Amino acid sequence: MASVQTRAQADLKRAVEDIRRLEAQSEGVKKNYIRRVKQLPALVMTVGLAQALAFSAEKAGKDNDLGRAHKRVLEHVASILNVPDALSAVRDAATPDYLHMTRRVLAAWVFYQRFAVSLLDPNGELQAQGGDEG
């Protein structure tokens, strides 16, 4: 008998897999990623998912730790939505689909927040350093 996963279980598994791939990144990327992960829900609630992703897409174009962290955020949102390009998918979505995508990202993002801290910075050292590093 095959086990059926709930959406939350699938989101949790995806978040762990996505975050584990960040463990090999530089300390600067990890630190900036943790900050982005914590800020994304407030940004989405303030300006909307499309503008939040557009902000990350703009920053992701830079070849530095901050840019690489934003790129990972975009990849992880795309992973949640099961699309190749999160910004394009959100930008081109009809209103009901856009609202659904927003709810999906915010619901799954809780796991990314938890695992980013517990897997990438278990001792709180990166968060104590402060400041964006580019």
Side-chain angles (χ1 to χ4, degrees):
M1 179 176 190
S3 70
V4 177
Q5 287 187 330
T6 65
R7 181 178 291 173
Q9 288 171 318
D11 289 345
L12 185 145
K13 181 180 177 187
R14 180 184 311 104
V16 169
E17 291 169 355
D18 286 346
I19 299 294
R20 287 234 184 259
R21 284 193 285 275
L22 284 172
E23 289 177 325
Q25 294 289 316
S26 72
E27 297 295 307
V29 171
K30 289 190 268 190
K31 179 174 69 170
N32 281 294
Y33 179 82
I34 290 169
R35 180 166 287 138
R36 300 308 100 180
V37 165
K38 289 180 174 184
Q39 292 174 344
L40 184 71
L43 189 58
V44 168
M45 297 302 292
T46 304
V47 301
L49 184 59
Q51 286 185 355
L53 296 179
F55 173 77
S56 279
E58 168 69 24
K59 299 293 184 184
K62 298 186 168 103
D63 187 26
N64 56 28
D65 288 341
L66 181 60
R68 286 186 279 282
H70 277 283
K71 186 175 181 184
R72 295 307 169 274
V73 166
L74 291 169
E75 290 170 356
H76 294 167
V77 171
S79 177
I80 292 166
L81 297 175
N82 197 26
V83 296
D85 179 1
L87 180 57
S88 293
V90 168
R91 186 177 44 220
D92 297 338
T95 301
D97 295 331
Y98 178 84
L99 294 173
H100 174 73
M101 290 173 168
T102 300
R103 286 190 301 269
R104 281 292 301 125
V105 169
L106 291 174
W109 207 251
V110 171
F111 297 115
Y112 284 83
Q113 289 177 303
R114 301 265 192 277
F115 289 118
V117 172
S118 65
L119 296 176
L120 299 178
D121 191 22
N123 299 322
E125 296 167 2
L126 295 175
Q127 296 173 77
Q129 292 173 12
D132 285 338
E133 292 193 10

